[in-house]
Amino acid sequence: MSDLTKLTIAAARDALRKGEVTSVELTSACLTAIDAADTLNAFVHKTPEVAESQAKSADQRIQAGEAPDLCGIPLGIKDLFCTKGVASQAASRILEGFKPEYESTVTTQLFDAGAVMLGKLNMDEFAMGSSNETSVYGDAVNPWKVDDRQLTPGGSSGGSAAAVAADLCLGATGTDTGGSIRQPAAFTGITGIKPTYGRVSRWGVVAFASSLDQAGPMTKDVRDSAIMLQAMSGFDAKDSTSANIPVPDFEAALTGDIRGKVIGIPKEYRMDGMPAEIQKLWEDGTAMLRDAGAEVRDISLPHTKYALPAYYVIAPAEASSNLARYDGVRFGHRAKLDAGDGITEMYEKTRAEGFGAEVQRRVMVGTYVLSAGFYDAYYNRARRVRALIKRDFDQVFADGVDAILTPATPSAAFGLGEMKNADPIQMYLNDVFTVTVNLAGLPGISVPAGLDAKGLPLGLQLIGRPWEEGDLLNVAYALERSAGFNAKPAKWW
């Protein structure tokens, strides 16, 4: 078989079981592709020895007839997941040299299912960013290119998106706090799902904002997302927010039949100044679902306009609390001290050197909104707004809506460096369509659905009922089949 790295997870699974290819061959092809793609800066810690060992074990399981769906499948792991004995830095200098003595629950489950780890993937520092430009490793680069401009793959899971889009791995883990799976998926023409909060364990995932963070798969198509999410999901007693509910067979839900389903179109997502291409894509997606037999209904989510400011109060507040543990005492980077410096100076110097500018900005914002004089004015008010946003969704679903269709992003991928010196709010606006899903704890998926005038991918977002990822994936599958998106970036790296 040629072009092994271009296989989907489902196609590779079937080929492995038929003996048409081995995991060792598949893994070797991916490792070769990764070495040839250093320009993309997607993989920041390569683990060929680990990959080769896991691939050999996977082949033995397959030959013995004991192969789960992911057995032998080469994956990339976002640097936010702790991997035992392998650098896990959250793309931050402050975790320099940190190699955990434990494995995250998600990676444990993936490896138990026979998946192969090719290495760790680039990301925004501590998942704080929408362009993968805050990483200590440098920018990840989108494999899609226009006019010789290097483009962002999105963030924070930019390395994951770039690696999947460039066929360096068959799938990747991502995390989503305000859109960090869905936005980069849209920017790179791949599929990414953020599951219901509590569906996937957060244990061993470096925390950004604990009430918002959720891990999920980033893959080449919807079926692959279903397969990978199946392995990642499940109750975990080590995570107090993990839900002890059954995990359905997500792949079995992919019938493509959405006749009678009700799709909501929220009027509040029609933003002033929305690019005509995004508006047309949304209208085209609506028509595709209607043609597939779904009922399309206009809906209202009245508190949407408050979502972005509420998110950028709550997320930094939780980040300032979570990041207080990084002090240079037990692990990671520690600043060199001058004579007479005490522990306070060590904290100050270590954090000043270890945290990048965007992380420092969010920690300071978070500390401010949690301070005694402003707690009620900002943090408590944002929490009340969050409750109203969740209530909006609850009401819509109670009225019979099965899924909600929106754009995934307000534009196609932009150039690296274009927003670095702009007002930070311009960067934060990239999350305008995605943050509501995290605030309400709902599942959301981005599906590639078209190209803009410059030939860059555009994605549509579907939002589902809580715990109904199977139904959401099926609607996404129907949309994927109707859109027929099969464009790939022209190889230049």
Side-chain angles (χ1 to χ4, degrees), residues 13 47 127 145-146 194 218 235 253 315 329 332 353 488:
R13 170 193 63 186
T47 56
K145 205 172 186 181
V146 171
K194 172 230 170 276
M218 301 179 74
F235 174 66
V329 174
E353 291 176 9
K488 296 289 289 184

Side-chain angles (χ1 to χ4, degrees), residues 177-197:
T177 305
S180 287
I181 285 174
R182 291 159 289 151
Q183 184 248 28
F187 276 4
T188 56
I190 67 169
T191 300
I193 182 170
K194 172 230 170 276
T196 310
Y197 183 81

Side-chain angles (χ1 to χ4, degrees), residues 5 27-38 40 43 46 166-169 491 493:
T5 64
T27 299
S28 177
C30 288
L31 291 171
T32 299
I34 292 166
D35 287 340
D38 283 343
L40 299 179
F43 278 86
K46 302 174 188 178
D167 292 324
L168 308 185
C169 56
K491 188 171 181 179
W493 56 92

Side-chain angles (χ1 to χ4, degrees), residues 46-66:
K46 302 174 188 178
T47 56
E49 296 86 2
V50 172
E52 289 160 4
S53 174
Q54 290 177 330
K56 289 175 183 175
S57 297
D59 282 334
Q60 291 172 359
R61 291 179 69 176
I62 292 167
Q63 288 167 8
E66 302 168 355

Side-chain angles (χ1 to χ4, degrees), residues 64-78:
E66 302 168 355
D69 284 347
L70 280 180
C71 193
I73 303 297
L75 304 176
I77 306 297
K78 186 176 180 179

Side-chain angles (χ1 to χ4, degrees), residues 44-366:
V44 292
H45 298 294
K46 302 174 188 178
T47 56
E49 296 86 2
V50 172
E52 289 160 4
S53 174
Q54 290 177 330
K56 289 175 183 175
S57 297
D59 282 334
Q60 291 172 359
R61 291 179 69 176
I62 292 167
Q63 288 167 8
E66 302 168 355
D69 284 347
L70 280 180
C71 193
I73 303 297
L75 304 176
I77 306 297
K78 186 176 180 179
D79 197 39
L80 207 64
F81 292 81
C82 288
T83 43
K84 186 175 181 179
V86 177
S88 305
Q89 283 187 231
S92 179
R93 187 184 180 196
I94 207 158
L95 278 171
E96 195 171 53
F98 176 58
K99 294 183 179 180
E101 293 299 316
Y102 53 90
E103 194 75 49
S104 76
T105 296
V106 165
T107 49
T108 296
Q109 290 176 189
L110 291 173
F111 300 153
D112 285 349
V116 173
M117 180 173 72
L118 298 165
K120 303 299 285 292
L121 292 159
N122 207 348
M123 55 176 283
D124 281 296
E125 183 181 8
F126 281 102
M128 298 182 196
S130 301
S131 64
N132 215 134
E133 293 176 284
T134 67
S135 170
V136 72
Y137 310 119
D139 305 343
V141 180
N142 196 327
W144 294 80
K145 205 172 186 181
V146 171
D147 302 329
D148 291 326
R149 284 189 309 144
Q150 288 195 335
L151 304 175
T152 175
S156 65
S157 307
S160 301
V164 173
D167 292 324
L168 308 185
C169 56
L170 274 61
T173 62
T175 61
D176 193 310
T177 305
S180 287
I181 285 174
R182 291 159 289 151
Q183 184 248 28
F187 276 4
T188 56
I190 67 169
T191 300
I193 182 170
K194 172 230 170 276
T196 310
Y197 183 81
R199 173 67 83 186
V200 176
S201 173
R202 294 184 301 107
W203 194 85
V205 181
V206 178
F208 165 12
S210 300
S211 75
L212 300 164
D213 298 342
Q214 192 63 182
M218 301 179 74
T219 62
K220 298 178 184 181
D221 62 19
V222 173
R223 183 173 298 278
D224 284 4
S225 282
I227 294 168
M228 202 167 156
L229 182 60
Q230 187 83 41
M232 295 172 69
S233 298
F235 174 66
D236 180 12
K238 297 193 292 292
D239 175 4
S240 62
T241 63
S242 177
N244 191 3
I245 60 175
V247 179
D249 187 334
F250 295 130
E251 189 180 8
L254 304 182
T255 64
D257 184 358
I258 59 168
R259 289 172 295 178
K261 295 291 184 183
V262 178
I263 307 299
I265 308 296
K267 65 180 183 180
E268 289 80 9
Y269 281 60
R270 294 188 176 96
M271 305 291 183
D272 291 339
M274 179 185 285
E277 289 176 324
I278 300 295
Q279 180 66 42
K280 184 178 186 306
L281 182 81
W282 194 8
E283 292 169 357
D284 290 347
T286 302
M288 290 175 201
L289 293 175
R290 185 185 289 113
D291 291 345
E295 175 192 335
V296 175
R297 183 186 300 174
D298 288 332
I299 61 170
S300 178
L301 299 167
H303 294 93
T304 294
K305 62 183 177 181
Y306 304 116
L308 211 58
Y311 173 84
Y312 278 102
V313 170
I314 293 169
E318 295 186 11
S320 73
S321 176
N322 278 326
L323 270 61
R325 73 192 69 179
Y326 303 107
D327 52 19
V329 174
R330 291 154 294 177
F331 50 79
H333 176 75
R334 181 187 295 187
K336 292 182 179 179
L337 303 181
D338 298 324
D341 283 347
I343 193 165
T344 301
E345 288 78 15
M346 188 198 74
Y347 288 163
E348 290 172 349
K349 290 182 178 180
T350 294
R351 288 166 174 163
E353 291 176 9
F355 291 139
E358 181 61 29
V359 172
Q360 291 185 28
R361 176 187 288 121
R362 297 198 195 193
V363 166
M364 288 190 288
V365 168

